[in-house]
Amino acid sequence: MADDIKDKVKTDVPTVTFTMDGQEVTVAKGTTILEAARSIGIHIPTFCWHPKLKPVGSCRMCYVEIEKWPKLAVSCVTEATDGMIVHTESDKVKRGRRATLEFLLLNHPLDCPTCDQGGECELQNLTFEHGIDDSRFDFQKNRFTSDTDNTVFDDKRIGPEIILNRNRCILCYRCVRANKEAFGEYDLGVYERGNIAEINAAPGQQVNSPFSGNLPEICPVGALTSVDWRYKMRVWLAGKTPSICPYSSSGSNILIYTDDNKNLIRRVTSRCNDDIDDGWLSDITRYGYQIANSEERLQTPLIKKEGKQVEATWDEALEVICNRFKEITEKKGKVCIGGLISPSLDNASLYCSSKLFRTVFNNNNIDFRTDYRMLPNKPDSYFGMLCNRSFRITDIDDSDVIVVLGSDLIREHHNEYLRIRKAVNFNNARVFSLNPYSVKSADVAQAEIVYNIGTDEIILVAIGLAAIEMGLVEQGLAQGFKEKVKLGSLAEATEVCGVSSDDVKLVARALAGDGKVSVIVGELITRSHGREAVASALFNLSRLLGIDKKGQMAVLARYANSRGAEKLGLLPIPTGAQVEMLKAMWGKFPDAEPQTTDAMLALMHKEEISGGLVLGGNPIMLYPDRQFITEGLEKLDFLVACDLFESETTELADVVLPMSSWAEYEGSYVNLEGCNQVACQAIKHIGQSKPAFEIIRLIAEKIGTSLFESDEQMATEIEQLLSCEPDNATPDNFVDVLPLSEEVDPDFPIPLCICDDPHHTGALTQKAPSLTNFTGEAYIEMSPDLAARLEVSEGQPVRVESPVGKIVMPVKVSKHIDNDVVIIPRNFSQIRVTSLLMRKKRVDRVRITKVDE
Amino acid sequence: MFYSPVRTNAAEVAQSNRLHLFRYVEDPEQVKVEKFEEHGGYVAWKKVLAEMEPSQVIEEVKNSGLRGRGGAGFPTGLKWSFVPKDSPKPRYLCCNADESEPGTCKDRVLMERDPHAIIEGMAIASYAIGCHQMFIYIRGEFAHCADCMEKAMKEAYEHGHLGKNIHGSGFDLDMIVHTGGGAYICGEETSLLNSIEGERGMSRIRPPFPAIEGLYSCPTIVNNVESLASVPHIINHGAGWYKSLGTEKSCGSKIFSLSGHVKQPGNYEVELGFSLKKLIYDKDYGGGILGDKKLKGVIPGGSSTPFLTPDMIDIKLDYESLVEGGSMLGSGAVIVFHEDTCIVWVIKRLIRFYRHESCGKCTPCREGTAWLEELINRIEAGRGKPGDVEKVEEICGNILGHTVCPLGDAAVMPILSTLKLWRDEWQYHIDHGKCMVKTDFEFK
Amino acid sequence: MKEVIKAVGHVFIKMPQGLLVTLKHLFKKPVTLDYPRKKKPMMPRYRGRHYLERYDDGSERCVCCGLCAAACPADAIYMEPEEGEHGERRAKVYEINLLRCIFCGFCEEACPEEAIFLGQEYEFAADKRNSFLWTKEDMLVPHPRKDNPFKKIIRRVRKVYGVTEQ
């Protein structure tokens, strides 16, 4: 339905026809001459114009001549009108452009040899193109010297990863505009005016937003350069490989620049894909590649001998694995082996692991959701239905109402975060943010609703009740909704959530309207074990207000290939269709009891599972009950861990296998929309590392069964599985909402949320030096009010205690938080955050005390 | 009460039944609302509220032939009628009191000595366009004017001329006095709007024009102080009366700020079409050239307009005649130079101003004015190199018409005009390293 | 008989004539040089070994911009930049493979900092392949070059921040 509306809009747009360089052009009304020129392949040079920003027409480079116009027109802001006759390459135009270039070069230093932008500098290219080889300017150039340190090149570090050289700046204002329009950040600004105007960081501040890496990329000259790329190599010497971001679930399209002599990745830039990343990369995507270059990478297989891990060859390692697995299966049966697979791996690796467990070990002990708590062991849950709904990133752009539930988008889904800003800026979308604590991403929201933690499903019920109370829904539907809800009135529901009913009514009114809707359910819900209740409440709300007919609602997949893992049946309980398909392909499907991560760990405790395979990821660091998983893995007779680095998990392993990073082999990844994208091989394997799928196939071969007859077979099987489209099913009727409430232990009053830091994701990014420059250690984020009550200030250490653990960490005071929820990032292994958590709790609560020094 | 010590022709205006703006400016009590009302103030406002429809007001102003006094001379009534009638958005009125054009000081006198006239004009304009929130944007350096306006605004509120349900008509109107940060560019209407919004004072791309999408993306009308101050008189005396003033196409009276080498610099309200010669030489106005020297040149409409030479002294001061004479009426700042003025030095002062005030948005203006300043400084100091004059001319040509707002044009137009009129003087600087004019006063 | 007389005549007349030429050359100044004891003076524009130049204050002129490597038709130059202690760009590794180098002088022409130039020396013989790989240290040596008249002609004003008046 949504598509129909879109097509209608597209065809109804009036067009204009005009002539450009003798060519007849027909474009939609409102198109600028520049856009029209680009669409037919005529290149008009620009500096200030950027496809993703609103035009300002300040650089005066994009002149065109329009017949009967007295002056040259600036094509980036001039709309094409019927019958215009445009010349883009006339002498007058060339003179105008030449004059602009001359002006720009007046104060531009001639330090191209030392400038990192050299070779990809738009000013350099245009100067060359227009043949300006001498300057008529015979005065001293303006010079801004660095005021922080006395460097010879006037470079100034304005952020952890950004270097500013104001001399080179041509004041196109792209950076400031992108910061403001696209990212909603105000840490970079213009100071002074006229020819001494300068771009600079706000006084006393650093440019350290999670999107700061985009600023050097959009700078047309070398005024903003990144520390990461500084003096590394000349851009024309770098090899370029198209790839996919291995961290973001939307699969940002990236271009990897490699130094082929040294087999290193040098940097990552955007490979603008309008449907997915819109040309902006988060810093995680941009700097996360550094893990592939890390010196700490595992180079050879390790085998535990007499309690110590010693280096070994692949043959030895595989031999040990094969023998021990055989031993265990002979002794205890094949159900005794379990696998925890990282959802950041490519399709082939995920599929091979699934096939290894289901055909060779003949069991269903496999799961990729290692950071969820209390996963149900039964099929067809409402949450599963919600996960299996389609979602399109571009549909956010033209949504009228966007509801974000339980997600701080800037911490988990950077691309979607920017999309929402774009929808607000360009489409006047109304955003509603429903979270247990106030989030940064809510600054564009029309209403931000902060509800009591742990009442996620009740806030959805409250929205439904508000709609009923305002008479926005049919009586019959209202009756059905109310029957399934344990709460009688809106007042009661808002009381439980601790929100004002006016705000809830605002959301209800917006959702009940005719506009296109996007509902995004985030990590705070999916990882908690209230997910089932939320899913059922959301389905009820959707039935009540017709959300699924008006747009999309989805749980966003969290990791690079989470969606792929679901589609390839890596879950312990694949959907019925998947089972049928797998049965047809393999000729068999194990009927063993399916075991989720939790169940597997419980069985490890009971020593019913005694062999384990951990493929990528670092479950010990991420699983929300550190003691439980550590003890479980310790009790295993034999554990194989494959990873890029030594980690908490590999320490426990009997055999450690070095795995290749995503850049070292060609792999495909399915993003959260279900779009399958290929990441090409950029560098050669580091050390003796091997891709995950190859490791699995080698293990299978060693055990005696070859998983595939040929590579083609693997490819076709994967393709077949991926061709399954999400069924978008909804329950047939209103379903029961079973709210989960918990007793609050008065000793541990403060609710705790475990999130990713905006500059980190998962366990790997802490190995990327650029990202640790932004945030290098764990902190506990709290409201200024709570900090005042605890009598602590920014940076002071506090003791955080839960019934099961105790850690000490510094405080970070965040002004935007206004309730007592505290947030700890989980990305740093020095501080064992997950040791505070208890898997059976819906909301973790802690006690915080000041550490006396 | 502090007055700016500017000479005005208030005495003459008071006797005339045609001139009106300066009638009471020499009365120190005029700033008080009681005195203003006694002098017939706020009568037009009450009349508009009681008797007239907004469209009638617009029609009246249209018929009067009132044209914008800020520089461009766009018909005021026509501008008001551009505000979309059916827009659901609020509308705004901004009074442009960012008077920074070198040589112009007319608005300042009005703000200091007759603030209620401006408020009344703004109120009528607001009523005409259906706006309930009006702004007056006062130049940052005019702190005293802002004080005067604030006081007057307070009094107007107290006497029920502003606020809710004004004079029982059901019309609400609020006013905000907004001071700028001291930038010439904010006198340009889109920059002014940016500045009120709290953004950098940089001009916006047009279209959309402010009348369609201005302040906070809502329809906005920006008018000069003098234009708005004329509006109550039009309402009081009728469009026909106003149209009978001045010439056929340039109706009404206008304040000219006379400065430079004249014996009696000051603000003089005269009807449009007044003779330039009379303005400079008449004993009631300029009183002749300082030291009874010969006239060298006149800038007729503020520093952004081209020069006039002595042979054009008989020109009439109205929009059309000045355009015919190769210049513009601009803001009505007549700057007079006598024979001992070094024209390169004049340009040096002007370009210094424009270089300092360029906002930095468009490349040609930002970089070009700075380059011009360096070059002209060099020429003026006698260190010019052969070809420098041609270079100046070419740079001016590259700036002219290549910027978003008119500042770039304003900076180079006087230069181009002097290059045309007194090129030999420029060349003399290059050739001889000194000025051909013997000056009897120190140039600083 | 006639032939015999002719042959005898050759022996006694022509042969001494020929030998006379040789004899004459015995007393002439030799064209060859007593290399390696004596060396031939090279022409000023001869392109021999590479030198890297320093500024007067001792810092390296080379900023490792990569233009020489880009200009090199034989692909003989390899370099890796690094950040110096004052934030300046400089070469961490700068190598010229003299076995590949064809001494065309393009690197010298391409250099925007006038850091590299080709000197007069031409003796590179070595007994190991590795010793033909000249590093930065080999080239950053004091050089005997005086002001080369040709250098002055091609030298342009390359001040980064423009020239000051007077």
Side-chain angles (χ1 to χ4, degrees), chain A residues 552-844:
Chain A
Q552 50 185 359
M553 54 177 194
V555 169
L556 297 190
R558 181 63 183 86
Y559 298 103
N561 210 8
S562 297
R563 192 97 188 98
E566 282 165 17
K567 285 189 126 187
L568 293 166
L570 196 71
L571 295 158
I573 320 144
T575 62
Q578 280 170 348
V579 173
E580 288 308 310
M581 202 178 271
L582 291 173
K583 254 186 196 163
M585 275 187 307
W586 300 339
K588 60 176 178 181
F589 191 81
D591 45 10
E593 188 76 9
Q595 307 290 0
T596 59
T597 309
D598 290 272
M600 270 191 268
L601 292 173
L603 288 176
M604 287 175 194
H605 274 261
K606 288 188 216 155
E607 299 192 4
E608 282 176 25
I609 287 183
S610 31
L613 172 67
V614 175
L615 193 66
N618 186 356
I620 291 190
M621 197 171 140
L622 301 181
Y623 184 75
D625 195 334
R626 191 174 175 117
Q627 211 182 346
F628 185 68
I629 189 170
T630 316
E631 280 172 14
L633 293 179
E634 270 169 359
K635 281 195 176 164
L636 289 174
D637 285 348
F638 184 64
L639 174 65
V640 184
C642 313
D643 209 342
L644 273 67
F645 297 96
E646 284 188 41
S647 68
E648 294 88 337
T649 315
T650 58
E651 260 171 40
L652 297 181
D654 297 286
V655 176
V656 180
L657 301 175
M659 202 166 77
S660 298
S661 72
W662 101 110
E664 288 151 46
Y665 60 96
E666 185 175 315
S668 57
Y669 299 80
V670 179
N671 80 351
L672 56 84
E673 313 179 288
C675 169
N676 190 20
Q677 305 184 95
V678 178
C680 297
Q681 180 183 1
I683 50 172
K684 291 182 228 105
H685 296 287
I686 303 279
Q688 295 178 26
S689 65
K690 285 186 198 297
F693 69 88
E694 209 177 312
I695 295 175
I696 298 288
R697 285 176 72 174
L698 284 173
I699 292 174
E701 262 164 42
K702 200 80 184 176
I703 289 174
T705 6
S706 177
L707 286 180
F708 305 101
E709 280 159 16
S710 64
D711 291 352
E712 287 75 39
Q713 191 200 351
M714 180 168 83
T716 34
E717 286 183 14
I718 290 173
E719 204 177 310
Q720 210 175 338
L721 275 170
L722 290 182
S723 64
C724 250
E725 286 297 320
D727 53 7
N728 279 336
T730 50
D732 300 330
N733 211 329
F734 286 108
V735 293
D736 281 316
V737 181
L738 303 169
L740 296 165
S741 53
E742 277 180 339
E743 290 285 307
V744 179
D745 184 348
D747 282 347
F748 299 98
I750 300 171
L752 164 72
C753 286
I754 301 294
C755 289
D756 278 335
D757 182 82
H759 278 100
H760 289 275
T761 185
L764 276 182
T765 51
Q766 56 176 327
K767 305 282 184 190
S770 286
L771 292 175
T772 52
N773 281 348
F774 287 98
T775 325
E777 58 171 353
Y779 51 82
I780 175 163
E781 203 173 340
M782 58 175 75
S783 65
D785 184 41
L786 182 60
R789 269 184 283 140
L790 293 169
E791 293 172 347
V792 289
S793 55
E794 179 100 21
Q796 267 187 307
V798 286
R799 188 181 295 112
V800 187
E801 287 167 280
S802 82
V804 289
K806 183 169 86 175
I807 50 178
V808 174
M809 54 172 52
V811 168
K812 181 181 170 189
V813 181
S814 281
K815 282 190 190 126
H816 64 82
I817 302 179
D818 53 5
N819 56 3
D820 274 357
V821 177
V822 293
I823 301 151
I824 304 180
R826 57 174 186 166
N827 316 86
F828 306 99
S829 45
Q830 318 94 303
I831 290 178
R832 304 169 165 200
V833 182
T834 44
S835 65
L836 291 176
L837 309 182
M838 286 183 288
R839 74 195 170 99
K840 286 193 174 156
K841 284 252 180 167
R842 176 170 183 177
V843 179
D844 290 293

Side-chain angles (χ1 to χ4, degrees), chain A residues 140 151 153-154 230 234 262, chain C residues 65 80 83 86-87 161 164:
Chain A
Q140 183 89 34
T151 65
F153 290 116
D154 311 331
R230 186 165 170 85
R234 280 302 181 186
K262 307 207 132 192
Chain C
C65 68
E80 268 176 44
E83 188 168 347
H86 300 297
Y161 296 108
T164 327

Side-chain angles (χ1 to χ4, degrees), chain A residues 30 77 195 362 365 389 494 515-516 529 533 535 582 605 652 826:
Chain A
V77 292
N195 75 325
N362 204 21
N365 301 345
R389 291 186 65 84
T494 49
K516 193 173 164 184
H529 75 242
L582 291 173
H605 274 261
L652 297 181
R826 57 174 186 166

Side-chain angles (χ1 to χ4, degrees), chain C:
Chain C
M1 190 62 212
K2 221 173 182 181
E3 250 101 269
V4 175
I5 292 168
K6 211 174 179 181
V8 172
H10 269 281
V11 170
F12 288 99
I13 301 163
K14 295 282 175 169
M15 224 155 90
Q17 262 177 6
L19 285 172
L20 201 66
V21 174
T22 315
L23 203 67
K24 246 182 352 200
H25 276 275
L26 267 179
F27 302 103
K28 266 193 181 166
K29 203 177 162 214
V31 286
T32 53
L33 275 179
D34 186 11
Y35 182 83
R37 275 180 289 265
K38 278 183 187 165
K39 279 171 192 165
K40 188 175 185 254
M42 303 310 290
M43 300 305 273
R45 285 169 73 175
Y46 179 77
R47 298 189 294 265
R49 64 159 285 186
H50 307 75
Y51 285 100
L52 284 174
E53 194 153 18
R54 288 178 190 271
Y55 280 109
D56 292 341
D57 65 358
S59 56
E60 295 159 24
R61 287 192 85 111
C62 175
V63 297
C64 203
C65 68
L67 287 185
C68 48
C72 182
D75 207 3
I77 305 180
Y78 173 79
M79 57 175 68
E80 268 176 44
E82 67 168 356
E83 188 168 347
E85 54 199 274
H86 300 297
E88 80 273 22
R89 188 189 171 102
R90 66 172 190 205
K92 183 164 88 183
V93 177
Y94 190 103
E95 289 173 356
I96 294 185
N97 187 340
L98 288 183
L99 291 175
R100 298 190 75 131
C101 180
I102 56 168
F103 300 96
C104 62
F106 280 10
C107 46
E108 187 178 355
E109 242 169 86
C111 185
E113 303 285 332
E114 290 170 26
I116 190 168
F117 71 92
L118 274 61
Q120 310 268 315
E121 294 81 348
Y122 46 85
E123 292 156 310
F124 313 115
D127 48 7
K128 279 193 212 108
R129 271 179 123 28
N130 256 358
S131 49
F132 288 100
L133 206 65
W134 281 30
T135 60
K136 198 170 92 170
E137 286 67 39
D138 298 326
M139 286 179 280
L140 265 174
V141 290
H143 55 81
R145 184 177 76 165
K146 300 207 175 60
D147 259 351
N148 183 335
F150 298 102
K151 284 285 154 192
K152 270 192 177 158
I153 296 165
I154 61 160
R155 182 162 296 187
R156 276 168 287 173
V157 180
R158 283 192 183 277
K159 291 240 173 100
V160 171
Y161 296 108
V163 290
T164 327
E165 276 252 293
Q166 276 102 41

Side-chain angles (χ1 to χ4, degrees), chain B residues 20-21 35 41 56 63 85 98 145 250 256 372 386 400 431:
Chain B
H20 44 275
L21 289 169
K35 197 75 180 174
Q56 281 176 300
N63 289 340
K85 299 269 178 310
D98 190 77
C145 293
S250 310
F256 285 91
L372 281 175
L400 191 69
D431 297 344

